[in-house]
Amino acid sequence: GDAILTAAHALDADAPYVIMLGDHLYKSTHRNGDSCIQQLISCFDGTSLMALRPTAEAEVSRFGCATGTWEGSRHDSRQKDGAIGAKDGGEIGAKTQTPCAGHVLNLTSIVEKPSVEFARSNLVTPSIGTGEYLSAFGLYIIADASLMLTLKDELDVCL
């Protein structure tokens, strides 16, 4: 949060912004060659998003993991063609004809570095392979200006 707050003065409070954390390398395997950030931007509809990727059970304790309910149609066979976008809670929308149809998850839970036992009990996401969970990998679109206030409050508590 501190690095983001450092840049807060340069952000327009009424405009969305992208966060790309510098401790990650991004390589897309999308069938059209779309970059990870292009995929996330194509899903943006005015609601904050975070990119997620499938992560093996043995690795979940190293990442922030999320679960939720799929927006629109989601088939049992997961496509392995890039990032999955996740919305920050809210209602399931009617956005089903977009490039990300079936690839947007309305978040119900985010847990930082869960144990395998916790993930098995609380972070299973329908149609994600057995022994896999969805984890964050440092790409976000923030559309809600209140995030800066929340980060500042959390940072103040930590200091």
Side-chain angles (χ1 to χ4, degrees):
D2 187 45
I4 296 167
L5 285 174
T6 301
H9 70 280
L11 300 173
D12 178 345
D14 296 323
Y17 52 93
V18 173
I19 297 172
M20 298 176 70
L21 298 180
D23 62 346
H24 293 269
L25 295 175
Y26 305 99
K27 181 180 180 186
S28 175
T29 58
H30 191 273
R31 66 182 170 270
N32 295 333
D34 293 348
S35 70
C36 297
I37 197 65
Q38 286 172 317
Q39 293 171 61
L40 196 61
I41 289 171
S42 75
C43 291
F44 182 69
D45 67 354
T47 304
S48 295
L49 294 170
M50 69 185 290
L52 298 171
R53 67 179 176 91
T55 300
E57 185 174 78
E59 302 292 315
V60 295
S61 65
R62 299 176 57 207
F63 301 99
C65 296
T67 191
T69 57
W70 291 109
E71 180 177 298
S73 300
R74 182 71 180 164
H75 302 288
D76 287 334
S77 59
R78 177 172 46 89
Q79 293 183 21
K80 296 185 181 205
D81 63 354
I84 298 168
K87 283 189 171 185
D88 181 19
E91 298 178 13
I92 295 177
K95 186 175 67 170
T96 58
Q97 300 303 318
T98 64
C100 56
H103 289 275
V104 175
L105 188 73
N106 287 300
L107 297 179
T108 57
S109 181
I110 302 174
V111 178
E112 183 65 20
K113 300 179 180 175
S115 68
V116 169
E117 295 77 22
F118 184 90
R120 286 178 184 161
S121 298
N122 300 286
L123 298 173
V124 173
T125 303
S127 77
I128 297 299
T130 302
E132 286 189 319
Y133 301 89
L134 295 176
S135 67
F137 67 103
L139 288 178
Y140 307 87
I141 297 177
I142 306 301
D144 184 356
S146 68
L147 175 68
M148 287 298 179
L149 296 174
T150 303
L151 284 174
K152 183 177 181 333
D153 290 345
E154 290 295 321
L155 190 61
D156 288 344
V157 168
C158 292
L159 297 176

